[in-house]
Amino acid sequence: VDIARLLKSFSHILRLLENVDYVRSFVRYNNKRRSGPPRGVRAATRCVIARDAGRTRADAAGIQQFCVYFAQGCCTAGPHCQYLHRAPTEQDTVTLARDHSRDCFGRDRARHDKDDRKGVGSALRDCRTLFVHYGGAGGLSASEVQQLATENFGEWGRIRKVYVVPAKTLVFVQYEARCSAEFAKEAMQAQGLTGSGAGEVLEIKWANDDPNPGVVRQVKRRRKCLCEP
Ligand SMILES: [Zn+2]
């Protein structure tokens, strides 16, 4: 038996395996038909930043893309993941704001929102507000929902404002940074509000406009800036 040849083919196999790993993660991130749980069913996993966050290969390689599976609490790659396993920080906000064509997970943004406002979000509209339907928890008072939403959504980034519309079981959550809103949208989709005790399943979309008049003016100003070349 030629040992040198055996070793060579062994290292060749190792390299092939590495490629398989890369191809698999590439396919995962480009699979547009990825479907979540059916409507009205809670997601099977949830991210807990304090428990799950940690360094990955992306930190060493200086990659500025967050792991969407980490946000959903279901990444199995752990420290070997090619994407970041943490929530966006103030520093990331500055870096990510330079590129309007992709979201914080590296997914292409469309020029305009999809009709159902569920997708990645628009490249032209700097939306930081989430439209959250909390149907099952309609028995809670507005101040209870305000409190729970602030606690639950505060895990993913700094919140500017929480605005509850109890008559429609809606809550609008506005973040300081767009990447925090993007991360929270993935992290809280089909989750419940921890501490509510009701069986609500959150349904999250991009807010059309925040009903608060001050925010409407802000959004208009920002849109104008983004649309001007
Ligand atoms: Zn990951």
Side-chain angles (χ1 to χ4, degrees):
V1 182
D2 187 344
I3 301 229
R5 220 157 137 199
L6 202 71
L7 277 176
K8 209 173 161 192
S9 60
F10 185 65
S11 71
H12 185 69
I13 290 170
L14 273 184
R15 217 173 308 143
L16 271 177
L17 283 176
E18 230 166 76
N19 282 342
V20 167
D21 193 37
Y22 173 75
V23 168
R24 205 187 285 150
S25 66
F26 182 81
V27 169
R28 272 193 338 187
Y29 275 84
N30 287 280
N31 187 356
K32 296 241 160 56
R33 285 186 300 156
R34 198 170 50 78
S35 55
R39 215 177 151 184
V41 175
R42 275 198 189 172
T45 55
R46 175 164 173 161
C47 175
V48 178
I49 292 290
R51 181 193 65 196
D52 303 339
R55 284 179 67 82
T56 61
R57 284 185 188 176
D59 290 288
I63 290 169
Q64 274 288 324
Q65 284 175 16
F66 291 82
C67 178
V68 71
Y69 295 97
F70 167 75
Q72 293 165 351
C74 61
C75 183
T76 54
H80 302 293
C81 187
Q82 321 254 359
Y83 302 92
L84 295 168
H85 277 198
R86 55 180 177 79
T89 61
E90 310 274 305
Q91 185 52 46
D92 298 316
T93 308
V94 179
T95 323
L96 289 165
R98 289 184 203 135
D99 185 5
H100 285 292
S101 65
R102 286 166 192 273
D103 74 352
C104 72
F105 303 107
R107 301 176 299 190
D108 286 330
R109 283 180 183 144
R111 219 172 141 74
H112 298 285
D113 285 295
K114 283 197 219 157
D115 288 344
D116 61 4
R117 298 195 174 279
K118 279 186 173 174
V120 170
S122 157
L124 287 183
R125 215 161 58 86
D126 187 20
C127 189
R128 297 158 194 223
T129 308
L130 299 178
F131 167 108
V132 183
H133 185 246
Y134 63 93
L140 298 176
S141 72
S143 63
E144 281 172 320
V145 173
Q146 173 105 24
Q147 169 84 25
L148 287 171
T150 308
E151 284 167 13
N152 278 261
F153 283 83
E155 189 175 355
W156 323 111
R158 273 234 306 248
I159 292 178
R160 184 177 284 172
K161 196 173 163 55
V162 175
Y163 186 90
V164 188
V165 187
K168 294 184 175 172
T169 59
L170 289 179
V171 51
F172 292 85
V173 182
Q174 189 191 30
Y175 282 92
E176 294 278 347
R178 183 174 184 171
C179 53
S180 303
E182 285 170 346
F183 195 94
K185 186 166 171 288
E186 291 298 334
M188 293 303 287
Q189 193 69 265
Q191 300 290 350
L193 291 168
T194 304
S196 83
E200 77 283 348
V201 180
L202 302 183
E203 203 188 330
I204 309 181
K205 301 175 187 184
W206 287 110
N208 193 356
D209 267 323
D210 195 298
N212 181 325
V215 177
V216 170
R217 274 199 300 278
Q218 266 178 30
V219 168
K220 269 189 192 151
R221 253 203 316 273
R222 269 200 227 111
R223 258 185 216 179
K224 220 175 135 196
C225 302
L226 283 172
C227 290
E228 276 163 7

